[in-house]
Amino acid sequence: MACSHPTNAPHPKANSASTTIKGGTKAVAEGTVATFSVYRGTAESGEMKTYQVPVAEGMVVLDAVHHMQANDAPDLAARWNCKAAKCGSCSAEINGKPSLMCKTRMDALPLDEPITITPMKAFPVLKDLVTDVSWNYRVNERITPFTPKSDDTDNWTLYQEDVERVQEFRKCIECFLCQDVCHVIRNHDKKNDFYGPRFMVRLASLDMHPLDTVDRLQAIKEEAGVGFCNITKCCTEVCPEHIHITDNAIIPLKERVADRYFDPIGKLKGALGLNKSRK
Amino acid sequence: MSSSQTSASSLPPLSEVKTASLNTSPALQVSTLGSTERPDAWWIEPVLSVAALLGFSVYVTWAVSQNANYHIGPFLSPLYSPNLQEYFPKLFQALPWLSPAYLVLWVPLLFRGTCYYARRVAYRSFLMTPSACAVGPSETASALYEGETKFPFAVMNLHRYFFYLALVLVFFHWKHLVDAFFYPQGVGVGIGTLVVGIDTVFLTLYVFSCHSWRHLLAGKLDCFTCSAVDKMRHGAYKRQSKLNESHGHYFWFSLAAVWFADVYIRQVASGNWHDTVYLFGQGLTTNPF
Amino acid sequence: MTNPTSNVAYETHEHDVLVIGAGGAGLRAAIEASALGLKVGLVCKSLLGKAHTVMAEGGCAASMGYVDSADGWKTHFKDTMHGGKFLNNFRMAQLHAQEAPERIRELERWGAVFDRTPDGKISQRPFGGHTYRRLCHVGDHTGLEIIRTLQDKGVHSGLDVYMEATITDLLKDGDRVSGAFGYWRESGRFVVFKAKAVILATGGIGRAYKITSNSWEYSGDGDAMAYRAGAELMDMEFIQFHPTGMVWPNGVRGLLVTEAVRGEGGRLYNALGERFMEKVDPKRMELSTRDIVSKAINKEVKEGRGSPHGGVFLDISHRGAEYILKKLPGMYRQLLEFADVDITKGPMEIGPTTHYTMGGVRVEAESTMTKVPGLFAAGEVAAGMHGANRLGGNSLSDLLVFGRRAGLGAYEYIKANNPSTNLSEEVIAAAAKRVTKCFDSDSGENPYTIHKELQDMMQAKVGIVRTEAELHEAIEALKGFRARVANVSVTGSRQFNPGWHLAIELENMLTCAEAVARCALQRTESRGGHTREDHPEYHPHWSTVNSVASQDQDGSMNVGEIPLLPMPEELKALCEGEVGIPKPAA
C-alpha cells in the first residue's frame, strides 16, 4: 500500500474524534478559558472561589480541578483515583447536578457562565469537595452477606440467564451519587430509616441470587426501608454505570415485599401455611 | 429467619452517623427557587406534566358528567367502557342522573394512579418530592415525608390488583374494537375504527408493560432455569422487560388515545363531525350514521 | 509558614497484624489473618473499595479447565515461566498456578458472580501468553467484581478498617517490624499502629511515569518504606508497558483499554492498514505477550506508521455490536464517552502505557516474608512471581494466592515468635518531622511542578526503550529531583491537603525511580519489560540472576545481583517446548 504521508493517513475505517463528534457535545475553540466557582471550606464555613482554567480538547471537569491544584490551589481537597469512571471516587455536584468529575466533559457544559462545583449535598462536608461518606459503609455492614446452599462450588451450576440480573447490580462502583441525589437522604435526611438506592441494589443482588439462602424480605421492608422510596428515579438518572436502579432493583423489591406484606391473598396463603418457601 | 442473619444489635446505631444537616456553611445554602444550584430548565418537565394531567382530568370530569353522546353506531367512548348501560339498563332507567362512566372510571383511575411510572410523575409534579433531581422540596414536604410506608401511599403496594382489573378493561376494549368494524350498513373500516383501534392497542401496550405484571411473569423467581415452566416464564419476562422500558411512553400515548377517542366519538355522536368508512363490497361512505 | 506540629501528638492503635493497602492482596491477606483469629487492622489511602484492583478488567487467570479441559496447573506454570522469561521465582509461579483455582472457587462462595459457560460453569477467555482459555471474568470489569466480593467478605470478618489514612514509615523494634506511622488524610493528625507483623499490599509505582494506567495511589510507598526499613527491592527494571492504553484526549492518555479486546478477537493495524503483528509474532499475532506487542507498537509509531494521535489502531468492530456490548460494555462506554469513538463501528487509537511493576520487594515464596522479620509483602508490591514480564490475568490471581499466603505467613510468624511491639518515641518524632518539614519553608517549589517534571523525565529516559547514556542522564536528573524535593514547600493546613500528600509521596517515587534506573543500567540485555537499545538481545549471564537494590548504611542505594533459585528438574521438564496458542473466544 503506497502512501506519501503515513502518519496523517487515517485507517480505512477510522472514526477518531476529528471525524465523529457525538451528539450533545460541541467543539471547544482553541484558547477558550472556563471559569469555575468551587466551594472552598468546611461544613461550618467556606466560600465559593473563582478559578480560571484553559480548556483543552476532550477535557473533563476533573482535569480542570487538577489544573487548579497544580497552579492555583495546591490544597484544594478532592477525591479521585482512577480517572476513568471505574472507582467512583470523584463524586461532586457540577452545576448542581450530582456527577462524576472524571466523566463530565467540558464540551457538554455551557462555558459562557461560571461552572459551579460543590461537594455532595447529602453528606457532611469535610473539606472543599470532600464529604464524609462513612454512613454508607456503616449501612453495608448491616446487610447479611451472601450465604450459599453449599460450599461445593465445583458442583454449582449457575446459568448466564440466572446471573445476568445480579451482574447488572454488581457493576455498582459505589460513587454514592444515587445516595446523594435521593431526596429521602438528601432532603429528608432519613439516614436511620432508609438504606438508599445503592444498598437497594446490593440487597437486590443478594435476594435475586439463585443460590442465596437468606430470607431478606423483612430486612428489606423494615431495616432497609424500601417503602421510603417513592420511585422518582433520580438515582437511575445519575448512575454513571447506567444501572436501572429503580426498574430493575427497587421496584422488583417492592413487589417482592408486596407479595408477603401487602397482598391480601399472599397474607392469607401465608396464614394458611400455603406459601412455598421462597428459598 | 435464617440462622446466618448477623445480629443488627451488635452494630452501632445508624443514628450516630453525622448528617448532612450539619452543613451550615452559608456558601452551601441555596436560596433560589426550589433550592438548587441547577441552572438548567429542570422545571419544564413537572410544569408540562401538571398541565397535561390537570387538562385531562378537567376534560374527563366534564365528559363523564355529560352522560350523553358517548355512544354512536358501533363506537363506544373508552371513558364509558364497559358499557354498563347496556348490561344494566333498568338500573340507569331508575337513576337517570347517574352517568355509567362513574361506575367504571375508578378502575383506570386506580390502575393509573398506582402505576409505578405515574407515581414518579405525580410525586415529582404534584407533591414535589422532589420536583426534579437535586432540587429541594419544601420544608413542609420534608417534615411530612413518609414515602409509601403509611396510608394512603401504602395503597400503592396493591398495584397488582388494579392490574388484574385493568385486564378486564383490556378485554372490553378489544370487544369494542371488534364491534367497531360492524357498521349499520355492513362491515368496514372507518376513521372511527382506527381511532378505537389506536386506543385499544396503546391501552394494551400500557397494561401489559406494567411493572407488577413483570414481577408476576417471572421477576419474583430467583432461578429462571430450574424448571421448564420457569424457562418459559423467563422467556416471556425477557420480552416483557423490553416493553416495560417504554411503560412511561405507553402511559402518555394511551392517555392521549383515550382522550382523542372520546373527543372523536363525542363529536360524531353530536353531529359536529362525520365519520368516513370504507365498507367492504360497498366502497367509501361518508356520514354513515 | 510555621510548622503546625510543635509537639508530636498521635493516636495509637494496636493489632496483631497491620495490612497496608486495601486492594485485592491487602483485603485477601486481612481476611485470612482474621480467619486465623488474629486482630487485624487494614489501612487504605483511599476509601475502601477504590483501590487499583478495581481497574483490572480482562480477568483472573486460573486453570479451572471449565472451557479447555486440558488445562491444569502445570500448563499455567509453564506459561507463567515463559512469560516471565524465566526470571520468575519458580516456587511462587508454582504455588500461584496450583492455588489459583481454589482462590476462584472461594470467591464464588463469597458471592462473586462470574460470567458463565453454556453448561453453567465459570466462563474463561483467552489472553496473551496463555496456552488455554483461562481467564475467569465478568465482562470487562473483573477487578471490580473481585474487590467488591473481598470488601463485602472483609466487612463481615471483623477487620478494623482505617480509610483514608496514609502510612509514611514502618517502625521497627530492633531488626523486627513492630508497627507503622502515618496520618489521617482528613485531619492531617498522626496515627501510630503497633503490630506484631505488617503486610505491605501497596501496589506499584506507575505514578512515576507520565503515561500510565495507574491511579494516584501508585506512588511506590510500600517499596520505598520497605527499602528504608532494610528490605531489598528486586527486578525493579522490569516495568510492564501495556500495549493498549488510550492516546487521546490528553486527559485520559494512558487509560487502559483491556487486553480482553484482543482476547475477544481485536486486531491491530498501523496507519497503512497493515496488521503489523504478522511480522512480529505470526503465530500468536495480537495475543502475543504484552512486552512484545508494546515494542511492536512503539516501533510502528517511531517509524512513522502511527495513527493521528501517535498510536496505532485496534479494531474489534468485526465482532458485531451485540457481542461487543455483552463482552466489553465498559470499553464501549469508555471510548464513546471519553474519546467520541464507537468501537462497534470502527477502530480505536491505542498506544503503550505504564501498567505494572514486575519488580518490588523481595519476598520468600511460601510465607511472602521480606528480609525484615515481621514484614510481609503481597501483590504488585512484591517481586518474583512474574519475572521479567507478567501475563495478563496473572495479577488478579497473584493477589488472591499471595494475599492469602501473606495472611497465613504473618500468622505463623506471630505464632512462632510472639514478637514485641515496642516503639521508640524518638523514631516516631523523627517520622513526624520527616513528613511535616515541607511546611517549614515557603520558598521551595510546588510539589505538582516537581511531580510533572519527574514523570516527563522517567517517560523520556527510563521508558519502553532505554540506553546507557539516557539511564546515566536519568540517574543524574534524579539527584537533582532529590534536592528539589528536600526543599519542597506546601501551603495550607494539614487538613485534607493534596499538595502535602503529594510532597510526601514524591520521596517514595524518587526512591523507586532511582531503583528502576539503576537496575536498568546494570542489566545490559533486553528481556521482557526491560529493553535496552544498546543491548537488544538476551545475555546468558543475565538469565541467571535477579537485580537487587538495597539501602546502604550511608543512605545511598546499593545495586547488585543475586542468582536465581535453582529450579527442580521436574519443574524444568514442565517448561519444555513452546507456549501453545489459545483457541479464540467462544
Side-chain angles (χ1 to χ4, degrees), chain B residues 124-187:
Chain B
R124 281 192 181 204
S125 313
F126 290 97
L127 298 180
M128 292 189 265
T129 52
S131 306
C133 301
V135 174
S138 69
E139 293 287 322
T140 334
S142 255
L144 297 175
Y145 187 80
E146 293 289 344
E148 299 182 334
T149 57
K150 300 217 165 82
F151 185 81
F153 296 114
V155 171
M156 301 293 186
N157 289 299
L158 298 177
H159 184 51
R160 57 189 61 184
Y161 285 94
F162 307 120
F163 165 76
Y164 303 145
L165 288 171
L167 292 178
V168 179
L169 222 57
V170 171
F171 170 79
F172 277 101
H173 274 244
W174 280 97
K175 180 187 171 294
H176 301 319
L177 177 57
V178 172
D179 291 346
F181 287 91
F182 296 93
Y183 281 73
Q185 300 89 334
V187 179

Side-chain angles (χ1 to χ4, degrees), chain A residues 1 13 70 74 79-81 83 86-87 102-103 127 137 140 143 151 154 156 158 160 167 170 174, chain C residues 46 48 50 57 66 109 115-116 121 145 149 152 156 164 215-216 251 272 337 347 446 495 499:
Chain A
M1 201 186 294
K13 285 167 76 188
R79 283 196 183 103
W80 72 283
N81 276 52
K83 209 177 169 297
K86 290 179 195 301
C87 74
C102 71
K103 228 187 129 180
K127 186 187 163 201
Y137 291 89
N140 193 33
I143 296 176
D151 278 352
D154 251 355
W156 282 12
L158 208 52
Q160 189 62 37
Q167 283 184 328
R170 294 186 64 90
E174 297 203 326
Chain C
S46 295
L48 187 60
K50 308 296 180 196
E57 292 165 348
Y66 288 141
R109 284 198 281 277
D115 284 352
R116 317 302 300 183
K121 298 294 174 196
E145 184 69 18
T149 304
D152 289 330
H156 295 281
E164 299 197 307
S215 81
W216 67 268
L272 306 178
E337 283 164 4
N446 178 341
Q495 202 189 1

Side-chain angles (χ1 to χ4, degrees), chain C residues 313-329:
Chain C
F313 294 103
L314 172 62
D315 192 358
I316 181 79
S317 57
H318 58 276
R319 295 297 312 242
E322 194 186 335
Y323 186 82
I324 293 168
L325 289 176
K326 174 77 197 98
K327 284 294 183 181
L328 304 161

Side-chain angles (χ1 to χ4, degrees), chain C residues 367-447:
Chain C
S367 68
T368 78
M369 189 150 86
T370 66
K371 194 180 165 192
V372 182
L375 181 63
F376 298 78
E380 190 171 348
V381 69
M385 162 65 209
H386 305 289
N389 174 57
R390 177 175 71 81
L391 294 184
N394 268 3
S395 173
L396 287 177
S397 40
D398 171 14
L399 305 178
L400 299 170
V401 169
F402 292 102
R404 173 181 160 276
R405 285 197 158 265
L408 200 61
Y411 168 77
E412 275 163 4
Y413 165 80
I414 292 170
K415 204 172 66 173
N417 300 289
N418 194 24
S420 64
T421 55
N422 298 328
L423 298 175
S424 122
E425 286 300 323
E426 272 168 48
V427 175
I428 292 170
K433 177 87 188 100
R434 191 178 74 79
V435 294
T436 48
K437 65 176 190 293
C438 49
F439 285 102
D440 293 341
S441 113
D442 47 13
S443 59
E445 272 185 278
N446 178 341

